[in-house]
Amino acid sequence: MTLSKFIVMLLMLAAPILAWAQGAPNGDPAAGARKTQMCRGCHGIDGWRTAYPEVYSVPKIGGQHQVYIVKALQAYKSGERSHPSMKAIAATLSDQDMADLAAYYGAAPARTANNK
């Protein structure tokens, strides 16, 4: 790998972190734990699938990157992502709520099919 490719790769990896650091609220995992009641009904059940609006396998979000969680919630809230249940839930969340939930789920151990 050439030095220029390496530098470009580092900048690409750093960009989301830098964007997050600019004006995004800091999340509190303890506050996030108190706000999971709407999340647990789907994301807290192994193998859960929703039937509305179609059969959909609910992703495991424990251990997911915090920036990704916030961006996903913002996309549901804005309508950029279109799952009706997630859109309705995200519509009720403030930026601080999203940051707190992301801090809570981001701090959780990642769960995969192999380490349920």
Side-chain angles (χ1 to χ4, degrees), residues 25 35 70 73-74 77 89-101:
K35 298 175 183 180
V70 170
L73 289 170
Q74 289 170 339
K77 187 172 185 171
I89 291 168
T92 69
L93 300 175
S94 69
D95 289 343
Q96 187 63 56
D97 292 335
M98 291 179 191
D100 292 343
L101 287 165

Side-chain angles (χ1 to χ4, degrees), residues 11-102:
L11 290 172
M12 289 175 60
L13 292 172
I17 295 167
L18 293 172
W20 172 256
Q22 297 175 5
N26 289 325
D28 176 0
R34 293 187 298 271
K35 298 175 183 180
T36 62
Q37 64 273 19
M38 295 180 80
C39 309
R40 286 186 300 229
C42 295
H43 294 284
I45 302 171
D46 286 337
W48 180 253
R49 288 176 170 67
T50 64
Y52 178 80
E54 59 193 43
V55 176
Y56 176 81
S57 294
V58 177
K60 295 176 176 137
I61 56 177
Q64 182 59 268
H65 196 277
Q66 293 180 35
V67 173
Y68 176 82
I69 293 172
V70 170
K71 293 295 182 188
L73 289 170
Q74 289 170 339
Y76 284 118
K77 187 172 185 171
S78 73
E80 184 181 337
R81 286 189 175 194
S82 62
H83 192 277
S85 298
M86 284 301 304
K87 183 173 174 56
I89 291 168
T92 69
L93 300 175
S94 69
D95 289 343
Q96 187 63 56
D97 292 335
M98 291 179 191
D100 292 343
L101 287 165

